[in-house]
Amino acid sequence: MRGKKRLLFFSIFGLLFISGSAASFTDQTEIQNHIKTGKVKISLNIQRKEQNDVLPGEEISVIPEIQNQGINCYIRAKIYFTDKDGTRQVCPPEYIQGLKTNQWKKIGDLYYYQSILKENETTTLFQSFLIPDQWANEYVRQGVELEVQVEAIQSKHFTPDFTSKDPWGNAEIEANVKEKLN
């Protein structure tokens, strides 16, 4: 009887030892999570038609195309020109022709695209630049530099207020591109 108790004791002890050892080997789990963050990325390409000797009151074919190469985003643009004296200034809206006012809204010095620009979508800002009538002989052969700056911010978890004077508030700009046209 004593031998059976000993055998029973060692059997129970062995069983507890094996199950305890197995538990000690399975109390850790390794899980790999692959997280991919989105990226705000835009490009700006200005299409233009070469024109020589443009006169005051004529339009220069200039088409800024903005393409979203990242996640869905909102965009806004600012347009500058540098005159014959080298003075860089915000371009007056009357010099911009072919702006799609049903898509773009001018607030302050910025033009806001009112829809979300989806991934791989492209939009245009305007179609041409008008040489002002008041630019007379002093501008002959001087040239003008046109600069377009475009900024983007992700659309997820962000809602601009287009009724405000500052639709994006103090949001951090996530992408910025600019291109100059001489």
Side-chain angles (χ1 to χ4, degrees):
M1 181 83 160
R2 194 169 193 177
K4 285 185 178 182
K5 282 185 179 180
R6 224 180 242 191
L7 183 61
L8 182 62
F9 172 75
F10 284 120
S11 297
I12 291 173
F13 178 75
L15 187 62
L16 289 174
F17 178 76
I18 291 170
S19 63
S21 296
S24 71
F25 290 118
T26 60
D27 68 345
Q28 293 182 352
T29 304
E30 186 177 313
I31 299 174
Q32 290 184 358
N33 283 328
H34 297 282
I35 299 172
K36 183 179 177 185
T37 59
K39 183 176 183 179
V40 174
K41 184 177 179 185
I42 55 173
S43 67
L44 172 63
N45 183 26
I46 298 181
Q47 304 290 326
R48 76 179 258 196
K49 181 180 170 186
E50 283 297 323
Q51 293 170 266
N52 294 324
D53 296 328
V54 180
L55 300 173
E58 291 185 344
E59 292 182 23
I60 300 171
S61 176
V62 178
I63 305 171
E65 293 180 335
I66 303 132
Q67 182 183 29
N68 182 1
Q69 299 172 329
I71 61 173
N72 294 353
C73 63
Y74 287 102
I75 57 173
R76 67 182 181 187
K78 195 167 190 177
I79 307 163
Y80 298 95
F81 79 95
T82 303
D83 66 14
K84 68 176 180 57
D85 300 323
T87 305
R88 181 177 179 252
Q89 54 190 307
V90 174
C91 188
E94 59 269 16
Y95 296 177
I96 303 303
Q97 303 296 303
L99 178 76
K100 296 177 182 170
T101 55
N102 60 335
Q103 295 177 344
W104 293 89
K105 183 173 185 178
K106 185 173 184 333
I107 301 174
D109 291 337
L110 295 163
Y111 294 87
Y112 290 85
Y113 190 68
Q114 297 181 80
S115 300
I116 294 172
L117 190 62
K118 294 188 167 62
E119 186 175 346
N120 296 318
E121 261 188 353
T122 300
T123 189
T124 57
L125 181 57
F126 56 88
Q127 299 297 311
S128 60
F129 177 76
L130 178 67
I131 301 297
D133 287 331
Q134 60 269 29
W135 288 6
N137 287 334
E138 69 268 14
Y139 277 88
V140 172
R141 306 241 191 264
Q142 294 296 317
V144 172
E145 182 177 88
L146 188 65
E147 178 182 334
V148 178
Q149 289 184 352
V150 182
E151 300 173 334
I153 188 167
Q154 93 287 341
S155 63
K156 193 169 190 176
H157 308 296
F158 178 74
T159 306
D161 179 6
F162 294 117
T163 62
S164 165
K165 290 181 182 180
D166 190 9
W168 287 10
N170 59 356
E172 184 178 333
I173 306 308
E174 296 181 20
N176 180 330
V177 294
K178 68 180 177 180
E179 188 164 323
K180 292 181 181 179
L181 181 67
N182 294 327

